[in-house]
Short mmCIF file of all heavy atoms in Angstrom, two decimals:
data_model
loop_
_atom_site.label_atom_id
_atom_site.label_comp_id
_atom_site.label_asym_id
_atom_site.label_seq_id
_atom_site.Cartn_x
_atom_site.Cartn_y
_atom_site.Cartn_z
N ALA Q 1 -19.32 23.16 8.43
CA ALA Q 1 -19.86 21.95 9.04
C ALA Q 1 -18.78 21.34 9.94
O ALA Q 1 -17.59 21.45 9.67
CB ALA Q 1 -20.25 20.95 7.97
N VAL Q 2 -19.20 20.73 11.02
CA VAL Q 2 -18.28 20.08 11.95
C VAL Q 2 -18.53 18.57 11.88
O VAL Q 2 -19.64 18.11 12.12
CB VAL Q 2 -18.49 20.59 13.39
CG1 VAL Q 2 -17.58 19.86 14.36
CG2 VAL Q 2 -18.27 22.09 13.46
N SER Q 3 -17.50 17.82 11.52
CA SER Q 3 -17.63 16.37 11.48
C SER Q 3 -17.78 15.83 12.89
O SER Q 3 -17.08 16.27 13.81
CB SER Q 3 -16.39 15.74 10.83
OG SER Q 3 -16.27 16.18 9.50
N THR Q 4 -18.70 14.89 13.05
CA THR Q 4 -19.01 14.34 14.37
C THR Q 4 -19.03 12.82 14.30
O THR Q 4 -19.63 12.24 13.40
CB THR Q 4 -20.39 14.85 14.86
OG1 THR Q 4 -20.37 16.28 14.84
CG2 THR Q 4 -20.70 14.37 16.25
N CYS Q 5 -18.39 12.19 15.27
CA CYS Q 5 -18.39 10.73 15.36
C CYS Q 5 -19.81 10.25 15.69
O CYS Q 5 -20.46 10.79 16.59
CB CYS Q 5 -17.42 10.27 16.45
SG CYS Q 5 -17.45 8.48 16.74
N VAL Q 6 -20.26 9.23 14.98
CA VAL Q 6 -21.61 8.70 15.21
C VAL Q 6 -21.70 7.92 16.52
O VAL Q 6 -22.80 7.73 17.05
CB VAL Q 6 -22.09 7.81 14.04
CG1 VAL Q 6 -22.21 8.61 12.77
CG2 VAL Q 6 -21.16 6.63 13.85
N ASN Q 7 -20.57 7.49 17.06
CA ASN Q 7 -20.57 6.68 18.28
C ASN Q 7 -20.49 7.52 19.55
O ASN Q 7 -21.27 7.31 20.48
CB ASN Q 7 -19.41 5.68 18.23
CG ASN Q 7 -19.46 4.69 19.37
OD1 ASN Q 7 -20.51 4.11 19.64
ND2 ASN Q 7 -18.34 4.49 20.02
N CYS Q 8 -19.54 8.47 19.60
CA CYS Q 8 -19.31 9.21 20.86
C CYS Q 8 -19.52 10.72 20.73
O CYS Q 8 -19.32 11.45 21.69
CB CYS Q 8 -17.89 8.94 21.36
SG CYS Q 8 -16.61 9.75 20.37
N ASN Q 9 -19.91 11.19 19.54
CA ASN Q 9 -20.10 12.62 19.25
C ASN Q 9 -18.82 13.42 19.33
O ASN Q 9 -18.85 14.64 19.49
CB ASN Q 9 -21.17 13.23 20.17
CG ASN Q 9 -22.54 12.68 19.88
OD1 ASN Q 9 -22.88 12.41 18.72
ND2 ASN Q 9 -23.33 12.47 20.90
N GLY Q 10 -17.66 12.76 19.23
CA GLY Q 10 -16.37 13.45 19.22
C GLY Q 10 -16.15 14.20 17.92
O GLY Q 10 -16.83 13.95 16.91
N HIS Q 11 -15.17 15.11 17.92
CA HIS Q 11 -14.90 15.93 16.74
C HIS Q 11 -13.44 15.82 16.29
O HIS Q 11 -13.01 16.60 15.45
CB HIS Q 11 -15.23 17.40 17.02
CG HIS Q 11 -16.65 17.62 17.41
ND1 HIS Q 11 -17.71 17.45 16.53
CD2 HIS Q 11 -17.21 17.97 18.59
CE1 HIS Q 11 -18.84 17.70 17.15
NE2 HIS Q 11 -18.58 18.01 18.39
N SER Q 12 -12.68 14.90 16.83
CA SER Q 12 -11.27 14.74 16.45
C SER Q 12 -11.09 13.39 15.77
O SER Q 12 -11.59 12.37 16.25
CB SER Q 12 -10.37 14.80 17.69
OG SER Q 12 -10.49 16.05 18.32
N PHE Q 13 -10.34 13.40 14.67
CA PHE Q 13 -10.14 12.19 13.90
C PHE Q 13 -8.66 12.03 13.59
O PHE Q 13 -7.91 13.00 13.61
CB PHE Q 13 -10.96 12.23 12.61
CG PHE Q 13 -12.43 12.39 12.89
CD1 PHE Q 13 -13.00 13.65 12.95
CD2 PHE Q 13 -13.23 11.30 13.13
CE1 PHE Q 13 -14.34 13.81 13.24
CE2 PHE Q 13 -14.57 11.44 13.42
CZ PHE Q 13 -15.13 12.70 13.48
N GLU Q 14 -8.25 10.79 13.34
CA GLU Q 14 -6.84 10.51 13.06
C GLU Q 14 -6.75 9.44 11.98
O GLU Q 14 -7.69 8.68 11.77
CB GLU Q 14 -6.12 10.05 14.32
CG GLU Q 14 -6.72 8.79 14.93
CD GLU Q 14 -6.18 8.47 16.31
OE1 GLU Q 14 -5.32 9.21 16.81
OE2 GLU Q 14 -6.62 7.47 16.89
N VAL Q 15 -5.60 9.41 11.31
CA VAL Q 15 -5.33 8.38 10.31
C VAL Q 15 -4.42 7.35 10.95
O VAL Q 15 -3.40 7.70 11.54
CB VAL Q 15 -4.65 8.99 9.06
CG1 VAL Q 15 -4.28 7.90 8.06
CG2 VAL Q 15 -5.55 10.02 8.41
N VAL Q 16 -4.80 6.09 10.87
CA VAL Q 16 -4.00 5.01 11.43
C VAL Q 16 -3.75 3.96 10.36
O VAL Q 16 -4.55 3.80 9.43
CB VAL Q 16 -4.69 4.35 12.66
CG1 VAL Q 16 -4.81 5.33 13.80
CG2 VAL Q 16 -6.05 3.80 12.29
N LEU Q 17 -2.63 3.27 10.46
CA LEU Q 17 -2.32 2.17 9.57
C LEU Q 17 -2.71 0.87 10.24
O LEU Q 17 -2.50 0.69 11.44
CB LEU Q 17 -0.83 2.16 9.23
CG LEU Q 17 -0.32 3.33 8.41
CD1 LEU Q 17 1.20 3.25 8.27
CD2 LEU Q 17 -0.97 3.35 7.04
N PHE Q 18 -3.30 -0.05 9.50
CA PHE Q 18 -3.62 -1.36 10.05
C PHE Q 18 -3.47 -2.40 8.97
O PHE Q 18 -3.48 -2.11 7.78
CB PHE Q 18 -5.02 -1.37 10.66
CG PHE Q 18 -6.13 -1.45 9.66
CD1 PHE Q 18 -6.77 -2.65 9.42
CD2 PHE Q 18 -6.53 -0.34 8.94
CE1 PHE Q 18 -7.79 -2.73 8.48
CE2 PHE Q 18 -7.54 -0.41 8.01
CZ PHE Q 18 -8.17 -1.60 7.78
N THR Q 19 -3.31 -3.65 9.39
CA THR Q 19 -3.20 -4.78 8.47
C THR Q 19 -4.43 -5.66 8.65
O THR Q 19 -4.67 -6.18 9.74
CB THR Q 19 -1.93 -5.61 8.78
OG1 THR Q 19 -0.80 -4.75 8.75
CG2 THR Q 19 -1.75 -6.73 7.79
N PRO Q 20 -5.25 -5.81 7.59
CA PRO Q 20 -6.43 -6.67 7.71
C PRO Q 20 -6.03 -8.13 7.98
O PRO Q 20 -4.96 -8.58 7.55
CB PRO Q 20 -7.09 -6.55 6.33
CG PRO Q 20 -6.52 -5.32 5.72
CD PRO Q 20 -5.15 -5.16 6.29
N ILE Q 21 -6.88 -8.85 8.65
CA ILE Q 21 -6.63 -10.27 8.94
C ILE Q 21 -6.49 -11.03 7.62
O ILE Q 21 -7.29 -10.88 6.71
CB ILE Q 21 -7.79 -10.86 9.79
CG1 ILE Q 21 -7.85 -10.17 11.14
CG2 ILE Q 21 -7.64 -12.37 9.94
CD1 ILE Q 21 -9.05 -10.54 11.98
N GLY Q 22 -5.42 -11.82 7.52
CA GLY Q 22 -5.18 -12.61 6.33
C GLY Q 22 -4.54 -11.85 5.19
O GLY Q 22 -4.47 -12.34 4.08
N ASP Q 23 -4.08 -10.62 5.45
CA ASP Q 23 -3.46 -9.80 4.41
C ASP Q 23 -2.11 -9.31 4.91
O ASP Q 23 -1.87 -9.25 6.11
CB ASP Q 23 -4.36 -8.61 4.08
CG ASP Q 23 -4.15 -8.05 2.69
OD1 ASP Q 23 -3.09 -8.33 2.09
OD2 ASP Q 23 -5.04 -7.34 2.20
N SER Q 24 -1.22 -8.99 4.01
CA SER Q 24 0.10 -8.51 4.43
C SER Q 24 0.29 -7.03 4.18
O SER Q 24 1.26 -6.44 4.65
CB SER Q 24 1.19 -9.29 3.69
OG SER Q 24 1.07 -9.09 2.29
N ARG Q 25 -0.62 -6.40 3.47
CA ARG Q 25 -0.46 -4.97 3.17
C ARG Q 25 -1.12 -4.12 4.24
O ARG Q 25 -2.08 -4.54 4.89
CB ARG Q 25 -1.03 -4.64 1.80
CG ARG Q 25 -2.50 -4.91 1.69
CD ARG Q 25 -2.98 -4.83 0.24
NE ARG Q 25 -4.34 -5.34 0.22
CZ ARG Q 25 -5.39 -4.64 -0.13
NH1 ARG Q 25 -5.24 -3.39 -0.53
NH2 ARG Q 25 -6.58 -5.16 -0.10
N LYS Q 26 -0.58 -2.94 4.43
CA LYS Q 26 -1.14 -2.00 5.39
C LYS Q 26 -2.11 -1.06 4.68
O LYS Q 26 -1.86 -0.63 3.57
CB LYS Q 26 -0.04 -1.20 6.07
CG LYS Q 26 0.81 -2.03 7.00
CD LYS Q 26 1.64 -1.13 7.88
CE LYS Q 26 2.50 -1.95 8.80
NZ LYS Q 26 1.81 -2.34 10.00
N LEU Q 27 -3.21 -0.76 5.34
CA LEU Q 27 -4.20 0.17 4.82
C LEU Q 27 -4.31 1.36 5.75
O LEU Q 27 -4.02 1.26 6.95
CB LEU Q 27 -5.57 -0.52 4.70
CG LEU Q 27 -5.62 -1.74 3.78
CD1 LEU Q 27 -7.01 -2.38 3.85
CD2 LEU Q 27 -5.29 -1.35 2.35
N SER Q 28 -4.74 2.48 5.21
CA SER Q 28 -4.95 3.68 6.00
C SER Q 28 -6.43 3.82 6.32
O SER Q 28 -7.27 3.73 5.43
CB SER Q 28 -4.48 4.92 5.24
OG SER Q 28 -3.12 4.85 4.96
N MET Q 29 -6.73 4.02 7.60
CA MET Q 29 -8.11 4.14 8.03
C MET Q 29 -8.25 5.44 8.83
O MET Q 29 -7.39 5.78 9.63
CB MET Q 29 -8.49 2.96 8.92
CG MET Q 29 -9.89 3.05 9.50
SD MET Q 29 -10.34 1.62 10.50
CE MET Q 29 -9.16 1.68 11.81
N VAL Q 30 -9.35 6.15 8.61
CA VAL Q 30 -9.68 7.33 9.42
C VAL Q 30 -10.57 6.84 10.54
O VAL Q 30 -11.55 6.12 10.30
CB VAL Q 30 -10.40 8.40 8.58
CG1 VAL Q 30 -10.78 9.59 9.45
CG2 VAL Q 30 -9.55 8.83 7.40
N GLN Q 31 -10.20 7.21 11.77
CA GLN Q 31 -10.99 6.78 12.93
C GLN Q 31 -11.15 7.93 13.90
O GLN Q 31 -10.38 8.89 13.88
CB GLN Q 31 -10.35 5.59 13.62
CG GLN Q 31 -9.09 5.91 14.37
CD GLN Q 31 -8.51 4.69 15.07
OE1 GLN Q 31 -8.80 3.56 14.72
NE2 GLN Q 31 -7.66 4.92 16.05
N CYS Q 32 -12.16 7.83 14.75
CA CYS Q 32 -12.36 8.81 15.81
C CYS Q 32 -11.19 8.69 16.78
O CYS Q 32 -10.87 7.59 17.24
CB CYS Q 32 -13.69 8.54 16.52
SG CYS Q 32 -13.98 9.60 17.95
N SER Q 33 -10.55 9.81 17.09
CA SER Q 33 -9.40 9.74 18.00
C SER Q 33 -9.84 9.57 19.45
O SER Q 33 -9.04 9.22 20.30
CB SER Q 33 -8.51 10.97 17.85
OG SER Q 33 -9.24 12.14 18.12
N ASN Q 34 -11.12 9.76 19.72
CA ASN Q 34 -11.62 9.59 21.09
C ASN Q 34 -11.98 8.14 21.39
O ASN Q 34 -11.53 7.58 22.38
CB ASN Q 34 -12.84 10.50 21.30
CG ASN Q 34 -13.32 10.52 22.72
OD1 ASN Q 34 -12.52 10.58 23.65
ND2 ASN Q 34 -14.61 10.45 22.92
#
């Protein structure tokens, strides 16, 4: 199976770190790299 982005039909994904609003810890999120 090939994973596909529901928004742009891309097939590449990446892990990014982000800090939610009002929080001090970083979380890991998988997002479409396109």
Side-chain angles (χ1 to χ4, degrees):
V2 177
S3 298
T4 304
C5 175
V6 296
N7 188 48
C8 73
N9 293 324
H11 301 292
S12 299
F13 301 92
E14 60 190 359
V15 176
V16 295
L17 293 175
F18 77 101
T19 305
I21 296 173
D23 204 341
S24 61
R25 62 191 169 118
K26 290 194 181 275
L27 300 175
S28 298
M29 176 178 62
V30 178
Q31 71 179 20
C32 175
S33 59
N34 187 43

